[in-house]
Amino acid sequence: MASEERNREMPHTIILEGREKLSIAGVLDVQSFDEQQVLLETVRGMLVIRGQGLHVERLQLEAGELLVAGEVGLIEYDDSAQPRGSFWGRLLGSR
Protein backbone atom coordinates (compact mmCIF):
# COMPACT_ATOMS: atom_id res chain seq x y z
CA MET A 1 0.00 0.00 0.00
CA ALA A 2 1.37 3.42 -0.95
CA SER A 3 2.28 5.81 1.83
CA GLU A 4 -0.31 8.42 0.75
CA GLU A 5 -3.09 5.80 0.72
CA ARG A 6 -2.08 4.60 4.19
CA ASN A 7 -2.14 8.19 5.48
CA ARG A 8 -5.65 8.83 4.15
CA GLU A 9 -6.93 5.65 5.78
CA MET A 10 -5.21 6.29 9.13
CA PRO A 11 -7.76 7.23 11.81
CA HIS A 12 -7.40 10.66 13.38
CA THR A 13 -8.45 11.08 17.00
CA ILE A 14 -7.64 13.55 19.74
CA ILE A 15 -8.24 12.65 23.39
CA LEU A 16 -7.58 15.23 26.10
CA GLU A 17 -7.65 14.01 29.69
CA GLY A 18 -8.07 16.77 32.26
CA ARG A 19 -5.97 19.26 30.22
CA GLU A 20 -2.90 17.29 31.36
CA LYS A 21 -2.58 14.37 28.96
CA LEU A 22 -3.19 14.55 25.22
CA SER A 23 -3.29 11.47 22.97
CA ILE A 24 -3.35 11.98 19.22
CA ALA A 25 -3.68 9.35 16.48
CA GLY A 26 -3.13 10.08 12.80
CA VAL A 27 0.20 11.87 13.32
CA LEU A 28 2.47 11.97 10.27
CA ASP A 29 5.34 14.08 11.65
CA VAL A 30 6.33 16.40 14.49
CA GLN A 31 7.56 19.69 13.02
CA SER A 32 8.74 21.27 16.28
CA PHE A 33 8.22 21.11 20.00
CA ASP A 34 9.19 22.91 23.19
CA GLU A 35 7.60 23.49 26.59
CA GLN A 36 5.09 26.02 25.20
CA GLN A 37 4.17 24.61 21.77
CA VAL A 38 4.03 21.41 19.72
CA LEU A 39 3.51 21.71 15.96
CA LEU A 40 2.64 18.52 14.13
CA GLU A 41 1.40 17.28 10.80
CA THR A 42 -1.64 15.01 10.96
CA VAL A 43 -3.69 13.26 8.30
CA ARG A 44 -6.20 16.13 8.70
CA GLY A 45 -3.70 19.01 8.51
CA MET A 46 -1.24 20.91 10.66
CA LEU A 47 -2.10 20.91 14.37
CA VAL A 48 -0.82 23.36 16.98
CA ILE A 49 -0.82 22.52 20.69
CA ARG A 50 0.01 25.31 23.12
CA GLY A 51 0.37 25.26 26.86
CA GLN A 52 2.90 25.16 29.69
CA GLY A 53 5.36 22.47 30.64
CA LEU A 54 4.57 20.43 27.53
CA HIS A 55 6.68 17.40 26.81
CA VAL A 56 6.40 14.51 24.40
CA GLU A 57 5.98 11.33 26.44
CA ARG A 58 5.65 8.96 23.50
CA LEU A 59 6.03 9.28 19.74
CA GLN A 60 5.45 6.35 17.40
CA LEU A 61 5.35 7.69 13.86
CA GLU A 62 4.99 4.21 12.33
CA ALA A 63 1.71 3.85 14.24
CA GLY A 64 0.86 7.57 13.89
CA GLU A 65 0.60 8.07 17.66
CA LEU A 66 1.72 10.91 19.94
CA LEU A 67 1.28 11.40 23.68
CA VAL A 68 1.89 14.88 25.14
CA ALA A 69 1.87 15.68 28.86
CA GLY A 70 1.71 19.10 30.51
CA GLU A 71 -0.89 21.84 30.86
CA VAL A 72 -2.71 22.09 27.53
CA GLY A 73 -4.19 25.51 26.82
CA LEU A 74 -4.96 25.36 23.09
CA ILE A 75 -5.47 22.77 20.38
CA GLU A 76 -5.92 24.31 16.93
CA TYR A 77 -5.69 23.28 13.30
CA ASP A 78 -3.58 25.80 11.37
CA ASP A 79 -4.19 25.62 7.63
CA SER A 80 -1.66 28.42 7.05
CA ALA A 81 1.25 26.34 8.45
CA GLN A 82 3.11 24.28 5.88
CA PRO A 83 4.99 21.04 6.57
CA ARG A 84 8.75 21.67 6.53
CA GLY A 85 10.04 18.12 6.28
CA SER A 86 10.88 15.79 9.12
CA PHE A 87 11.91 17.35 12.43
CA TRP A 88 14.39 14.53 12.95
CA GLY A 89 15.78 15.00 9.44
CA ARG A 90 16.25 18.73 10.03
CA LEU A 91 17.84 18.01 13.41
CA LEU A 92 20.32 15.60 11.84
CA GLY A 93 20.99 17.87 8.87
CA SER A 94 19.31 15.85 6.11
CA ARG A 95 16.38 16.98 3.96
Side-chain angles (χ1 to χ4, degrees):
M1 180 181 295
S3 176
E4 289 180 16
E5 279 183 40
R6 186 182 133 254
N7 292 346
R8 275 188 246 127
E9 293 176 5
M10 185 183 299
H12 181 54
T13 60
I14 298 174
I15 300 170
L16 179 61
E17 300 176 39
R19 290 185 66 175
E20 296 172 354
K21 187 179 278 189
L22 179 63
S23 302
I24 305 172
V27 175
L28 300 176
D29 193 19
V30 175
Q31 298 289 310
S32 65
F33 65 89
D34 59 34
E35 290 186 349
Q36 284 82 41
Q37 177 176 290
V38 180
L39 176 62
L40 53 123
E41 182 182 358
T42 74
V43 294
R44 297 294 183 182
M46 298 300 291
L47 186 65
V48 179
I49 303 157
R50 291 196 181 109
Q52 296 179 0
L54 300 177
H55 62 278
V56 175
E57 282 197 353
R58 184 179 68 223
L59 173 62
Q60 295 178 319
L61 287 179
E62 296 80 20
E65 297 175 354
L66 174 71
L67 178 62
V68 175
E71 184 180 329
V72 176
L74 172 92
I75 303 169
E76 176 180 52
Y77 288 94
D78 186 353
D79 293 330
S80 68
Q82 296 296 316
R84 300 180 301 170
S86 168
F87 170 77
W88 302 110
R90 290 190 321 274
L91 183 67
L92 299 173
S94 63
R95 292 189 180 248

